Amino acid sequence: MSNCIHCGPAVDVSNASQLGDAGPRRAWVDHPNYPAQVLLLGSHDGFRRLSRYLVGMAAERPRGWRAKAELLYRYWHQGMRGHEGYEEYKLYPYLARRHGTSMASLKDDHEEMHALRDQVYAAFEGGTDDALQDSLARYDALLVAHLAREEATVIPLLLDLPSREFERYTRSSIDELLASMPPCEPTADASPGAQAR
Ligand SMILES: [Fe+2]
Ligand SMILES: [Fe+2]
């Protein structure tokens, strides 16, 4: 089970009370490599919780909420940079090469998220409370959609790796991993909804 700083601890989703509306997770629990080969979910659950908390704070607007929300948002996004960097630098390239596919649409999501994140920063710096609430809600909507797409794309591919290969993936650099694999032209984007976008 991974406790990678970028992926977060793998969560035990076998407890039905933790599943919430994350329907696809129910199918992963039955995989023989679950939960040993699950990455990302621990961090993702934290991102969803924090984003929802900030949206709620912007709706209720308790005393001093803007300063507290800004501190939390900026701190969160320092960590977000590392999380997305890990995905783009190691996880996506490995799984894309391994499975002969493309994860470009997930990377595109990150770009769109950065644009919405910058709108939140701008609203913190000079926008009205309503503008800040709207920008946090827009970021949250894309975050939730991206995390669902990413999990639906990545988790089944991770679970299907032979255990020894997964171990090697976690221990090796991306340069070592790619050097040991045959070159492969991406044929299709593996992420759900990629065709429609
Ligand atoms: Fe992620
Ligand atoms: Fe991501």
Side-chain angles (χ1 to χ4, degrees):
M1 184 178 301
S2 168
N3 281 308
C4 166
I5 190 170
H6 300 308
C7 309
V11 291
D12 179 3
V13 296
S14 58
N15 181 340
S17 68
Q18 295 178 323
L19 291 173
D21 57 0
R25 294 188 181 195
R26 293 176 189 275
W28 305 334
V29 172
D30 293 330
H31 196 288
N33 290 330
Y34 174 88
Q37 293 183 195
V38 164
L39 301 175
L40 307 180
L41 297 187
S43 292
H44 285 185
D45 287 347
F47 300 157
R48 289 188 190 92
R49 263 197 306 275
L50 181 52
S51 187
R52 242 188 339 253
Y53 177 70
L54 291 167
V55 169
M57 194 188 283
E60 293 171 16
R61 304 179 187 177
R63 182 191 294 265
W65 73 275
R66 284 185 69 118
K68 184 179 176 187
E70 182 169 7
L71 195 67
L72 285 171
Y73 194 82
R74 289 187 184 278
Y75 184 73
W76 167 24
H77 280 274
Q78 283 176 12
M80 200 63 160
R81 199 176 312 156
H83 179 89
E84 292 173 347
Y86 163 77
E87 291 169 347
E88 292 186 15
Y89 184 72
K90 185 172 183 184
L91 185 65
Y92 296 169
Y94 183 76
L95 291 179
R97 175 81 75 87
R98 173 67 168 76
H99 294 278
T101 186
S102 165
M103 298 201 179
S105 67
L106 294 175
K107 202 170 169 199
D108 291 344
D109 280 349
H110 289 173
E111 296 303 317
E112 289 180 46
M113 290 162 74
H114 297 165
L116 294 186
R117 174 204 61 197
D118 291 345
Q119 290 177 19
V120 175
Y121 285 151
F124 273 125
E125 284 161 15
T128 64
D129 287 354
D130 286 346
L132 180 51
Q133 182 181 0
D134 287 349
S135 64
L136 284 167
R138 279 197 301 275
Y139 185 85
D140 181 70
L142 181 55
L143 172 80
V144 169
H146 169 68
L147 298 184
R149 270 195 289 275
E150 188 167 76
E151 291 171 5
T153 303
V154 163
I155 301 299
L157 299 182
L158 286 170
L159 288 173
D160 282 345
L161 293 176
S163 299
R164 196 176 284 186
E165 182 179 348
F166 179 81
E167 268 301 307
R168 185 163 174 273
Y169 167 79
T170 59
R171 280 189 285 100
S172 307
S173 72
I174 187 62
D175 290 340
E176 292 170 327
L177 292 166
L178 294 182
S180 67
M181 298 165 81
C184 179
E185 287 297 317
T187 54
D189 195 310
S191 63
Q195 312 294 329
R197 295 185 316 139

